[in-house]
Amino acid sequence: MIVLEQKKFQEIEKMTTGYNRLLVLGCETCAAMSFAGGQRQVAELASAIRVARKTTGEQGEVLEEAIARQCEPEFVDLIKDEVSGCDAVLSLACGAGVQMLAERFQDKVVLPGCNTTFLGVTEELGVWSERCAGCGNCILDKTAGLCPIARCSKQLLNGPCGGSMNGKCEISKDVDCVWQLIIDRLTRLNRLEMLEEIFPVKDWSPAGHGGPRKMVREDLKS
Amino acid sequence: MTKDELSTEIKYPPCKLACPILTDVREYIQLIAERRFEEALASIRNLNPLPRVCGRICTHPCEAACKRGQVDEPIAIPALKRFAADGPWKGRYKAIMPDKSTGQKVAVVGSGPAGLAAAHDLALLGHHVTIFEALPVLGGMLRVGVPAYRLPKNVVDEEIQAILDLGVEVKTGVRIGEEIKLTDLSEQGYKAVFVAIGAHKDRKLGIAGEDGFEGVVSAVSFLKAVNQGENPKVGKKVAVIGGGNTAVDSARCLLRMGAETVHMVYRRSRDEMPAAKEEIEEAIHEGVQVSYLTSPVEIFGEDGNVSALRCIKNELGEPDVSGRRIPKSVPGSEFTIDVDMVIAAIGQAPDSSFLDNELTERDKRIYVEDPYALMTTHPGVFAGGDAVTGPATVVEAISAGKRAGISIDLYLRGEPLPTTEQMEAVETAKLSPALIEKTRKFARCSKISLPAEARLKGFDEVDAVLSEDLATKEALRCLHCFLGARIDKEKCISCLTCVRVCPLGIPTTTKMGEIAIDPFACQACGMCVLECPVRAIDISLDPHSKIAREIEWAISRSQQVEPVIVGFFDLHGNFRSSDVESLRQDYPNILPVMVFGLRRVDTSDILKAFEFGADGVLLAGCPSDTDPFPETADRVKRRMAHARTMLEALGIDGARLEVCDMPDEGLVEKELIDGLIQRIKGPGQAR
Amino acid sequence: MKSGSNLERILESGQFAVTAEAGPPKGSSPKVVQRKGELLKLCCDALNVTDNQTAIVRMSSLSGCVLLKEMGVEPVLQMVVRDRNRLALQGDILGAAALGIRNVLCLSGDHQKFGNHPTAKGVYDIDSIQFIQMVKTMRDEHKFLNGEEISGDVPFFIGAAANPFADPFEFRVIRLAKKVSAGADFIQTQGIFDMPKFIEWMKMVRDRGLDEKTHILAGLIPIKSVGMARYMRNNVSGLSVPKEIVDRMADAKEPKEEGVKICLETIEQLKEVDGIHGIHIMAVAWEDIVSRIIEEAGLMPRPVV
Ligand SMILES: Cc1cc2nc3c(=O)[nH]c(=O)nc-3n(C[C@H](O)[C@H](O)[C@H](O)COP(=O)(O)OP(=O)(O)OC[C@H]3O[C@@H](n4cnc5c(N)ncnc54)[C@H](O)[C@@H]3O)c2cc1C
Ligand code: SF4
Ligand code: SF4
Ligand code: SF4
Ligand code: SF4
């Protein structure tokens, strides 16, 4: 899933000041699962903005709404009417959602209420960690199913670097060295010899360094 | 209830389902837990005109069905009913009287619980009811059968009076079938009759010597005499034959009236004994001896008086149609006990000598066409209670009375009678061992009873009513069957949060992320409801919408005494209704919202309180030894910490949110409240 | 000869090499580099110029190398893949070649998080092993990474780092082998304090015959104070400083002398280890001690080949 976090309230407050009728718009998929933008967080944030506005004396109504996914035009179009009655939309979706709103509501101010952090897994409730960097060319077959691009601080393909100590990355004792994990796993699988070969230089163009990415499926598109 | 109703989504809790009049046990227990005692009584009383009677002597099938019983011990349901019905608030119940009378006259024959219930319901439907009672007193077996140490006569009288106050007429000392025949009633303008004459004729023992000597007495006539203060003659050594409530009560009465030894003779084993388990235990506790697997063979006499009872031992053979194993006598095992009195209590049948071929009898009972609608073969004449079923229970008699009320009302309006099938015995789902293991055990309240010696001095009531403390504690043991979490499948995004936060591991998922919550297993703790990020879960016990409404309502009705503080109080605490009242008096600025656990309060609720104008929020959680889900406490604390961070971010002093544990007794420490008020009023407030 | 550098000549002729580190300043003055060059000129065969060491911005290592070269000292150009992508790296290699630099040390670099610009974007387009391979291809095949021809020679003596003390220990030799097969002509190791572990590692190196395929220069860090010893023991990832070393420094009346003593003892022990072809002294902010150490270790005067 895409992991998001809600922006600090002060930042949101500053960003939304001056927009009298503000629509706080939740996104009920990844944002909800990250506890950043589901209905529950929409209610909490909207209430917080209202309380803040009460104390600052700022006028205006704060409305609450949520749709299944802000990254889909059909869902977004379903809230056309609510949006048209507002001065700004505070989107609690990932950057993709925010931009979809901006695209569908050309004349409307759209503000991001969340930071899109990474593609990751839920380790346990309330703990998420990065697993994939979306590099566009998966290499997990060669790295024991553990991604050095997303999880090695230096994206080394021939790791580990000289900073790996006690299984931890040189950047912090709280971060696992993924190369240690890769080696451990390959040892378990009896395939450590895979690492004797030098991993060639990576083509970063599908990773976004080749320009904004787009995918077209001729068989599916209209 | 019909099978149709059962199959619908609304699920009744086992306790309600087991009750013949579908008393909403769960509801009144919840109301007791909420310290809303008067409403608890109303909940009972709306269905049951004899709550104080039932609170004492109902056989409580509800308790046997109670889900808690699978975990440790069932909820002490009758004790709670008695608590609700006996409290000082009992006089305040007002039945809703109909606007106008229908002008229809209905006769009720017999003033036992069946007759009384029918009279009550029919009166509330606007009919003009007259009860004909053969005896000089009202109440049937309640008055003349059940002894006072279990059911004080004033209790019966008071409950009957409340029924009569609805405008029900009575004619005591009128035995229908003698001067007034059943058929005469219609001539007297009664458009319908309910025959509820009970089963008062004791069955004969059918053994030699039964009719030959002084001192062989039928149990019902004995109890009738005792209950009517006739002080019947009692032997020194008495044998009571039979194993039902009548037998046990006769035995216990005998001890109170001077019998030296009382010997119960029962042909099957203890497990098969039809009398209530507690009653048997009490009797033994008081000194009654019981010979199981024993049948009487012959009564011997001397000088015209009973002198001995010859018995034979039995062993249990094949089960009969009712599933009980048939006792077979063991040859050569005869023995004799010295007795000077024998009481026969082996079952009763209705005395239907008055029926005059008007009504059909079957198995010595009055025959009804449909056991639900209760009309007899004679149009307009309905029958129910022990007269139809044979000796049964008070609540079954009340059920019959209520059904008769419905049938008669429909009959009088010319509408078809209900054709509902009798429900099959409800089978309660079994809880998994894992769930039982995880469920926190709480000891059942113990009874407060007179010591055995004190009891035998007279007919004082043996059991006392629960104190408020014990009653609320007991009510809080309820597991809130079927009031728990329900997932709206349309909204659920399969995030698994519920699966992760449930302290009991109730929610489960399929490979495709379809989340299911077993509605019977869920204990309505409310954890998942709040944590669900898309609010896809609703709950019936303290739904989230209700809490939000209550906050708004509390603030709107506040008398604007500053500073306004919304106080969330965990109902699981050790406090009394008077504690809530004195809080209201001492701190009119604190607006209490009572919740089943602070688990039910979300950050957004706290913010809502501030949004609606609160100056502070107080959250008082129960002491951990009373918390049914102590494992959730930490998560709740962290949720509150998050709320505090949020407040700080808004420029509101986080100290305006006070989270505390309740003291061991009472609602909240005064110093805490004062401290909070001080902080709110104090200087140096941002914004 | 691959590069014809002094370092290469000394090592190829089988002599014990001595190199040291000369970090460039956090400023634009050439003097700092020049002073270090003066200090170390006579006692070392080549001087490493670090590349934004510990991710703290300093004068570029290429400029430092040029400054040293101008004064007749042989530089080793350190390059990290943290700050430059494959285009910049290749461009700088060509430029260094043009400026007469002949030794390069290919490194990953410390993570930017540790430095004075922790919010910087790390590049890490290629890693150090791929970098070694790239330089080797440029030198031996006259080809860029994309296969295009390079005009002119790219004569470099290619170095790499090795850290025997990092984890996982068993894999360290495999990684060294990868560096060697990628084209590392010489290796400079992490500072050695934990001799038994180093000896164990060297045995594994010899077992694979790696000491025959590359020149291993053992790293040394002279310790100035007990504070430094402690800091390195507790805070520097990839360094293994045994407790005895810290204790010795703590008990010493004259810590600096003790530090020198430890260093000399280490060199003596290293001389006994098969497969060691030289030493590399990293005297961060204590460059003045280097000549004394080399002198007292009996490694003076430096040979001329
Ligand atoms: C000793 C004893 C203990 C019991 N203990 C319990 C207990 O603990 N819990 C429990 O649930 N149940 C108990 N029962 C059973 C319970 O009392 C009966 O099931 C219940 O009272 C039946 O109610 P009813 O209205 O059908 O009949 P009854 O209560 O028997 O009432 C019938 C009434 O009709 C009157 N009557 C009869 N014939 C005529 C006529 N021809 N004309 C006018 N009036 C007439 C009778 O005088 C009587 O007042 C006990 C019964 C006995 C005898
Ligand atoms: S320590 Fe491991 S994870 Fe961290 S940068 Fe080095 S190789 Fe990557
Ligand atoms: S636990 Fe409560 S709701 Fe469930 S059966 Fe028992 S009394 Fe009824
Ligand atoms: S917490 Fe809510 S959204 Fe998540 S799985 Fe449960 S019901 Fe579905
Ligand atoms: S309400 Fe409580 S017990 Fe029921 S499923 Fe939700 S978390 Fe579990």
Side-chain angles (χ1 to χ4, degrees):
Chain A
M1 68 190 260
I2 299 174
V3 182
L4 298 84
E5 65 180 1
Q6 216 174 71
K7 283 179 175 289
K8 293 249 170 311
F9 184 75
Q10 282 88 345
E11 188 184 346
I12 293 179
E13 192 186 11
K14 216 163 138 198
M15 193 190 292
T16 53
T17 308
Y19 299 110
N20 279 358
R21 270 176 77 84
L22 180 69
L23 177 67
V24 181
L25 182 62
C27 183
E28 302 273 69
T29 307
C30 300
M33 297 207 283
S34 308
F35 292 81
Q39 265 187 42
R40 180 176 177 212
Q41 264 62 39
V42 168
E44 186 181 300
L45 183 62
S47 204
I49 297 174
R50 283 191 286 261
V51 176
R53 286 189 168 191
K54 243 174 94 165
T55 43
T56 54
E58 172 152 4
Q59 299 295 306
E61 210 177 332
V62 182
L63 308 163
E64 301 170 28
E65 187 54 86
I67 55 177
R69 289 197 296 279
Q70 293 186 21
C71 50
E72 313 276 7
E74 289 86 347
F75 287 133
V76 169
D77 289 351
L78 290 175
I79 46 153
K80 240 189 357 248
D81 296 344
E82 284 97 319
V83 171
S84 70
C86 290
D87 298 320
V89 183
L90 177 65
S91 159
L92 296 187
C94 69
V98 176
Q99 292 177 65
M100 178 57 84
L101 293 180
E103 215 168 294
R104 303 305 284 187
F105 307 123
Q106 292 284 343
D107 309 323
K108 202 55 70 182
V109 174
V110 178
L111 306 165
C114 289
N115 296 321
T116 314
T117 48
F118 50 78
L119 296 184
V121 298
T122 311
E123 287 185 17
E124 58 171 282
L125 183 59
V127 181
W128 296 270
S129 55
E130 182 164 18
R131 287 292 183 275
C132 176
C135 78
N137 185 8
C138 191
I139 58 161
L140 290 172
D141 55 325
K142 300 184 184 67
T143 57
L146 292 136
C147 178
I149 296 165
R151 300 171 69 183
C152 167
S153 305
K154 298 175 185 172
Q155 286 95 52
L156 302 183
L157 293 169
N158 292 286
C161 74
S164 176
M165 266 311 214
N166 302 320
K168 299 295 170 188
C169 171
E170 70 171 37
I171 67 152
S172 157
K173 291 200 165 49
D174 302 326
V175 177
D176 289 334
C177 169
V178 76
W179 274 104
Q180 172 81 57
L181 300 177
I182 293 170
I183 289 163
D184 289 350
R185 199 163 140 78
L186 285 176
T187 309
R188 267 199 307 279
L189 297 173
N190 225 346
R191 307 272 316 266
L192 194 60
E193 81 286 347
M194 280 175 69
L195 295 186
E196 302 244 353
E197 238 168 80
I198 295 173
F199 203 110
V201 165
K202 188 170 168 70
D203 173 3
W204 290 107
S205 60
H209 299 272
R213 291 174 274 184
K214 182 165 183 159
M215 197 177 86
V216 180
R217 275 278 301 262
E218 289 302 335
D219 54 337
L220 297 175
K221 61 177 282 218
S222 54
Chain B
M1 187 174 33
T2 63
K3 273 189 184 152
D4 274 0
E5 270 177 278
L6 245 191
S7 63
T8 57
E9 274 298 297
I10 312 156
K11 295 258 172 97
Y12 288 149
C15 49
K16 172 165 176 166
L17 223 42
C19 174
I21 57 171
L22 293 178
T23 304
D24 202 336
V25 175
R26 184 184 66 190
E27 179 183 80
Y28 74 75
I29 287 183
Q30 188 184 323
L31 287 163
I32 294 174
E34 294 179 39
R35 282 73 165 172
R36 291 158 65 186
F37 308 130
E38 217 173 307
E39 288 159 83
L41 170 59
S43 162
I44 303 169
R45 184 62 178 74
N46 286 341
L47 279 171
N48 184 348
L50 302 168
R52 297 178 67 200
V53 168
C54 287
R56 287 168 167 81
I57 65 158
C58 180
T59 47
H60 49 76
C62 51
E63 203 178 290
C66 172
K67 184 172 98 178
R68 187 36 107 181
Q70 293 189 42
V71 175
D72 39 32
E73 283 182 278
I75 309 296
I77 299 174
L80 287 176
K81 176 177 286 167
R82 177 164 168 199
F83 168 79
D86 263 11
W89 48 84
K90 61 174 176 276
R92 279 178 241 153
Y93 177 81
K94 284 273 165 299
I96 305 154
M97 290 300 290
D99 296 342
K100 56 180 199 302
S101 152
T102 58
Q104 308 262 42
K105 278 171 71 179
V106 181
V108 170
V109 183
S111 68
L116 289 169
H120 171 266
D121 285 10
L122 286 165
L124 289 183
L125 288 166
H127 302 299
H128 196 286
V129 185
T130 307
I131 300 180
F132 296 88
E133 169 56 54
L135 297 175
V137 287
L138 294 172
M141 283 303 191
L142 305 180
R143 192 71 177 67
V144 301
V146 186
Y149 59 83
R150 288 209 286 134
L151 180 60
K153 298 306 148 201
N154 69 307
V155 169
V156 181
D157 293 344
E158 282 165 32
E159 297 221 294
I160 292 175
Q161 192 53 51
I163 296 168
L164 302 186
D165 288 346
L166 303 177
V168 173
E169 258 183 66
V170 273
K171 299 213 157 89
T172 45
V174 182
R175 183 172 294 272
I176 300 295
E178 289 178 347
E179 268 141 60
I180 308 173
K181 304 266 184 237
L182 194 53
T183 40
D184 298 339
L185 290 172
S186 66
E187 277 156 36
Q188 291 185 15
Y190 295 99
K191 295 281 182 308
V193 182
F194 179 47
V195 178
I197 56 169
H200 289 212
K201 219 166 72 185
D202 270 302
R203 272 174 49 199
K204 301 280 263 178
L205 293 171
I207 55 173
E210 183 172 7
D211 297 318
F213 310 103
E214 269 287 304
V216 182
V217 186
S218 106
V220 171
S221 57
F222 171 69
L223 287 170
K224 262 189 193 165
V226 174
N227 277 313
Q228 291 184 275
E230 286 163 15
N231 241 330
K233 198 172 146 242
V234 167
K236 292 251 170 294
K237 295 175 179 176
V238 192
V240 179
I241 297 161
N245 278 333
T246 316
V248 177
D249 275 336
S250 304
R252 291 178 73 188
C253 280
L254 285 162
L255 282 182
R256 283 167 173 77
M257 298 179 70
E260 278 160 18
T261 58
V262 178
H263 213 113
M264 284 182 68
V265 175
Y266 176 57
R267 58 193 183 131
R268 290 185 166 100
S269 74
R270 179 162 183 172
D271 289 343
E272 277 107 354
M273 213 157 154
K277 289 274 161 300
E278 298 99 319
E279 295 305 318
I280 304 169
E281 276 159 27
E282 296 292 359
I284 293 171
H285 180 66
E286 288 170 9
V288 173
Q289 296 165 40
V290 192
S291 296
Y292 301 103
L293 290 168
T294 307
S295 292
V297 194
E298 187 176 353
I299 296 169
F300 300 112
E302 253 171 48
D303 309 329
N305 285 319
V306 174
S307 66
L309 178 70
R310 189 155 180 78
C311 301
I312 188 163
K313 289 300 261 181
N314 297 325
E315 58 186 15
L316 292 178
E318 293 303 303
D320 65 8
V321 271
S322 74
R324 295 193 301 174
R325 292 162 71 193
I326 302 168
K328 283 198 315 204
S329 47
V330 181
S333 67
E334 291 88 347
F335 63 99
T336 309
I337 27 180
D338 282 348
V339 292
D340 52 11
M341 185 176 186
V342 173
I343 291 193
I346 59 160
Q348 298 82 33
D351 179 359
S352 50
S353 50
F354 78 108
L355 296 178
D356 277 347
N357 299 329
E358 294 292 340
L359 301 180
T360 317
E361 253 187 310
R362 220 171 258 183
D363 292 338
K364 297 202 180 131
R365 296 164 192 175
I366 299 176
Y367 174 73
V368 291
E369 308 255 76
D370 172 33
Y372 186 85
L374 297 178
M375 183 136 89
T376 61
T377 43
H378 190 115
V381 177
F382 297 78
D386 282 3
V388 169
T389 57
T393 63
V394 174
V395 68
E396 282 167 275
I398 296 176
S399 164
K402 294 182 74 69
R403 281 180 280 127
I406 295 169
S407 295
I408 290 172
D409 184 55
L410 290 170
Y411 172 82
L412 292 177
R413 286 193 274 129
E415 283 173 34
L417 299 186
T419 53
T420 325
E421 289 172 68
Q422 198 78 19
M423 228 172 45
E424 286 163 39
V426 213
E427 254 186 64
T428 310
K430 282 266 165 294
L431 298 178
S432 74
L435 177 57
I436 291 172
E437 166 83 35
K438 280 189 196 138
T439 305
R440 189 162 188 188
K441 320 289 182 290
F442 287 102
R444 178 180 155 115
C445 65
S446 42
K447 282 205 294 189
I448 305 161
S449 334
L450 284 181
E453 322 81 68
R455 296 180 191 182
L456 299 185
K457 289 190 183 119
F459 281 78
D460 287 349
E461 186 166 22
V462 169
D463 293 333
V465 65
L466 291 182
S467 66
E468 177 179 335
D469 289 345
L470 287 179
T472 44
K473 230 190 178 88
E474 185 62 22
L476 283 163
R477 292 178 69 230
C478 172
L479 298 172
H480 311 295
C481 303
F482 294 117
L483 286 182
R486 290 183 310 275
I487 295 182
D488 179 343
K489 292 225 157 79
E490 300 237 310
K491 283 191 182 167
C492 171
I493 58 166
S494 307
C495 76
L496 300 174
T497 302
C498 48
V499 175
R500 292 172 178 142
V501 299
C502 176
L504 304 173
I506 308 287
T508 52
T509 182
T510 63
K511 275 190 272 184
M512 293 308 291
E514 192 176 324
I515 311 289
I517 291 181
D518 176 346
F520 181 62
C522 170
Q523 294 173 12
C525 82
M527 202 67 209
C528 61
V529 181
L530 283 223
E531 295 293 352
C532 172
V534 296
R535 298 261 157 94
I537 311 182
D538 206 352
I539 190 166
S540 305
L541 182 76
D542 277 0
H544 192 238
S545 53
K546 175 188 145 196
I547 290 174
R549 251 195 339 270
E550 279 199 15
I551 299 168
E552 192 168 0
W553 186 67
I555 295 181
S556 69
R557 105 205 119 121
S558 81
Q559 291 116 38
Q560 291 307 320
V561 191
E562 304 263 318
V564 176
I565 295 172
V566 175
F568 294 94
F569 296 101
D570 187 342
L571 287 159
H572 294 98
N574 294 318
F575 62 87
R576 298 183 190 167
S577 53
S578 57
D579 292 325
V580 185
E581 250 135 57
S582 50
L583 178 87
R584 280 212 176 99
Q585 262 163 25
D586 298 349
Y587 297 96
N589 55 323
I590 295 187
L591 315 170
V593 175
M594 312 306 282
V595 288
F596 280 95
L598 296 187
R599 286 175 294 280
R600 290 161 202 285
V601 186
D602 200 1
T603 308
S604 59
D605 299 315
I606 293 167
L607 292 172
K608 268 259 135 58
F610 283 99
E611 193 184 322
F612 290 146
D615 301 303
V617 169
L618 171 75
L619 290 134
C622 65
S624 64
D625 60 338
T626 62
D627 191 345
F629 310 98
E631 57 278 66
T632 63
D634 186 49
R635 190 179 285 285
V636 171
K637 288 246 155 74
R638 283 183 279 128
R639 194 196 281 162
M640 296 313 157
H642 167 71
R644 194 169 282 132
T645 320
M646 201 76 195
L647 288 177
E648 300 269 356
L650 295 174
I652 294 171
D653 184 0
R656 285 175 178 235
L657 172 62
E658 171 74 49
V659 186
C660 64
D661 285 337
M662 289 178 173
D664 286 341
E665 297 259 319
L667 205 48
V668 61
E669 314 269 15
K670 271 191 173 218
E671 299 84 77
L672 274 171
I673 305 181
D674 294 338
L676 177 60
I677 295 178
Q678 208 77 90
R679 284 199 296 281
I680 296 172
K681 283 187 175 162
Q685 293 300 322
R687 287 192 179 172
Chain C
M1 280 293 123
K2 290 166 174 162
S3 70
S5 76
N6 184 45
L7 183 61
E8 183 182 10
R9 288 197 310 273
I10 288 188
L11 287 168
E12 287 301 315
S13 67
Q15 313 215 44
F16 201 79
V18 176
T19 58
E21 207 170 79
K26 277 169 93 177
S28 60
S29 162
K31 294 222 173 60
V32 180
V33 180
Q34 284 162 350
R35 195 186 76 87
K36 289 184 183 174
E38 283 307 328
L39 268 173
L40 303 170
K41 191 173 176 173
L42 293 175
C43 58
C44 299
D45 305 323
L47 295 185
N48 283 41
V49 184
T50 52
D51 184 8
N52 287 343
Q53 196 178 13
T54 58
I56 290 169
V57 180
R58 293 168 185 277
M59 180 188 288
S60 75
S61 65
L62 181 53
S63 328
C65 288
V66 171
L67 289 170
L68 289 179
K69 179 128 183 73
E70 278 171 354
M71 51 193 294
V73 180
E74 173 159 300
V76 177
L77 173 66
Q78 293 202 5
M79 291 179 86
V80 298
V81 299
R82 175 192 63 221
D83 304 339
R84 270 163 291 198
N85 67 6
R86 59 189 81 177
L87 277 78
L89 289 168
Q90 292 180 100
D92 282 353
I93 287 290
L94 293 181
L99 291 165
I101 315 292
R102 291 295 172 258
N103 305 308
V104 62
L105 186 73
C106 304
L107 303 163
S108 309
D110 295 317
H111 196 269
Q112 62 273 15
K113 190 186 158 176
F114 297 113
N116 58 355
H117 289 73
T119 55
K121 181 177 182 185
V123 178
Y124 303 113
D125 173 18
I126 61 175
D127 68 21
S128 56
I129 294 180
Q130 294 161 342
F131 184 21
I132 296 165
Q133 206 172 33
M134 183 174 81
V135 180
K136 182 178 157 68
T137 314
M138 289 172 82
R139 181 187 71 197
D140 297 350
E141 297 173 33
H142 293 85
K143 278 195 178 131
F144 287 110
L145 192 56
N146 63 356
E148 278 175 25
E149 282 292 327
I150 300 173
S151 62
D153 286 341
V154 191
F156 273 103
F157 192 48
I158 305 170
N163 184 358
F165 310 106
D167 287 326
F169 181 64
E170 292 72 25
F171 193 76
R172 287 292 144 190
V173 181
I174 300 180
R175 191 148 189 269
L176 177 68
K178 283 175 87 171
K179 287 192 172 178
V180 172
S181 80
D185 302 312
F186 70 98
I187 299 294
Q188 291 174 323
T189 76
Q190 175 63 285
I192 299 158
F193 297 101
D194 186 346
M195 194 46 88
K197 197 161 189 185
F198 183 71
I199 289 172
E200 198 185 338
W201 180 73
M202 273 308 291
K203 187 180 172 310
M204 291 162 78
V205 169
R206 286 193 304 273
D207 288 350
R208 282 200 172 226
L210 294 174
D211 59 322
E212 318 258 297
K213 295 189 185 137
T214 192
H215 301 287
I216 296 173
L217 275 57
L220 291 160
I221 303 175
I223 314 175
K224 231 175 164 173
S225 64
V226 62
M228 179 179 170
R230 264 195 206 115
Y231 180 82
M232 288 196 299
R233 178 173 164 82
N234 301 328
N235 302 317
V236 179
S237 196
L239 258 188
S240 162
V241 183
K243 195 171 166 293
E244 310 94 71
I245 302 267
V246 180
D247 291 346
R248 270 181 73 176
M249 289 302 291
D251 295 343
K253 289 218 171 57
E254 286 186 76
K256 286 190 181 175
E257 284 305 313
E258 191 67 23
V260 172
K261 225 172 123 201
I262 293 171
C263 203
L264 288 168
E265 285 168 17
T266 313
I267 295 173
E268 281 317 301
Q269 287 169 307
L270 285 170
K271 282 184 185 162
E272 302 298 309
V273 181
D274 276 351
I276 302 290
H277 295 180
I279 55 169
H280 172 58
I281 304 180
M282 294 162 275
V284 186
W286 200 20
E287 281 84 0
D288 8 0
I289 202 68
V290 176
S291 61
R292 188 183 144 196
I293 292 172
I294 295 169
E295 179 77 57
E296 289 181 18
L299 296 170
M300 289 284 261
R302 300 307 308 145
V304 181
V305 191

